[in-house]
Amino acid sequence: MPITQLIAMVRSTQPRQAVGLLAAMPADRIPVVVAELTTADLIRLLPAAGNDLRARLMGLLSTEQLADLVRALPTAEAVSMLSSLPLDQVRAVADRLPQPTLAALLTSLPAEIQTEMLSVMRPQQAQAAWAGTYQREVAEALARANADVSIPADAPPGIVLVQLFGWQITVAARRDDDGRVAVRDAENAAYRLRANAALAVTDYQPANDVLDYCDEARRQGRPISAVGWVDNRHDGYLKRALVSLVQ
């Protein structure tokens, strides 16, 4: 049967029957058919495939097909799918992953695999991935502080909005920063979103002149603060910095 006819049959039948057709095809036909499947085809068919067939089909996807599929899926679903793939296949597509997906994926991986993944990515993409991972971890820490954390549709990149005790606080988490960039971004976001206060979070201790700037801003009635956070050992510092802004 011609390949075009096989593809037409796969697309015209119900997902369960379509994956049955794929499973029954001669071994040399399946890669040819899979190469012609669109993102819409994959989204329709993969959930209906058993674990073995799904793994086989995923292994046959080109880097472009896999990247398009990831971009079409919700972040959590995309991360779950990528986590089930061989590391070589994930490495090949890493530079094409959406930033939120890449950050979430890196967070879910062991440290040694994170490092390996980042080593094969373009420097700019790797730096952005680390930044996104840090911002995600800070957002999770803010949530642990019993704050309501959201990302407004009109928020600048890398900014989250925290609601605490009726106040709205813009938070800028910036990696490899001593506070200068984070304070600027948090303060600009507060003006843009009309928030009550701004908080800069960095993985370094904020510089003295940054802390002095925040002290002077608070004296002038502009609640701004800067705090260092690396991991959950520093959650207490983060929570106290938040609370200090609303007192």
Side-chain angles (χ1 to χ4, degrees):
M1 183 180 297
I3 291 296
T4 54
Q5 190 173 348
L6 287 173
I7 295 170
M9 290 177 62
V10 168
R11 286 177 173 158
S12 63
T13 55
Q14 294 298 315
R16 190 175 297 276
Q17 286 72 37
V19 296
L21 286 172
L22 284 169
M25 287 181 188
D28 62 332
R29 294 291 185 94
I30 295 180
V32 181
V33 172
V34 169
E36 298 297 323
L37 295 180
T38 66
T39 299
D41 294 331
L42 294 168
I43 290 174
R44 189 175 74 92
L45 298 176
L46 289 175
N51 291 337
D52 290 344
L53 180 60
R54 186 185 304 116
R56 184 179 179 188
L57 296 177
M58 293 295 298
L60 292 172
L61 296 181
S62 67
T63 300
E64 184 176 352
Q65 282 178 305
L66 183 56
D68 288 343
L69 178 60
V70 168
R71 285 191 286 265
L73 294 174
T75 297
E77 190 174 338
V79 169
S80 177
M81 181 191 71
L82 288 166
S83 299
S84 69
L85 297 178
L87 186 57
D88 286 347
Q89 196 172 9
V90 179
R91 280 198 300 253
V93 79
D95 277 335
R96 304 189 185 194
L97 297 179
Q99 194 57 50
T101 301
L102 182 56
L105 176 64
L106 288 172
T107 301
S108 71
L109 295 173
E112 63 274 12
I113 299 181
Q114 286 185 21
T115 302
E116 186 176 352
M117 282 279 294
L118 291 164
S119 70
V120 300
M121 294 166 56
R122 296 191 306 271
Q124 184 176 3
Q125 178 79 344
Q127 184 178 14
W130 270 128
T133 299
Y134 182 70
Q135 290 161 6
R136 178 186 177 91
E137 291 174 344
V138 169
E140 292 171 350
L142 292 167
R144 289 196 297 271
N146 297 319
D148 181 8
V149 183
S150 63
I151 303 177
D154 54 347
I159 296 293
V160 299
L161 185 67
V162 168
Q163 298 198 43
L164 187 70
F165 305 141
W167 275 49
Q168 292 188 327
I169 304 167
T170 52
V171 179
R174 297 293 182 260
R175 188 175 178 272
D176 291 334
D177 177 37
D178 63 0
R180 289 178 172 83
V181 174
V183 164
R184 179 201 67 197
D185 291 351
E187 189 172 18
N188 288 343
Y191 287 129
R192 177 170 171 176
L193 300 177
R194 299 182 179 180
N196 305 104
L199 177 64
V201 184
T202 65
D203 59 343
Y204 288 100
Q205 176 64 27
N208 288 333
D209 60 334
V210 170
L211 296 175
D212 291 342
Y213 174 84
C214 292
D215 289 341
E216 179 61 26
R218 287 194 296 273
R219 282 192 289 270
Q220 295 177 8
R222 296 167 19 240
I224 303 170
S225 189
V227 64
W229 184 93
V230 176
D231 54 37
N232 56 13
R233 295 172 299 172
H234 307 112
D235 282 7
Y237 299 116
L238 184 61
K239 185 171 184 177
R240 285 193 288 275
L242 278 175
V243 173
S244 71
L245 288 168
V246 302
Q247 291 179 341

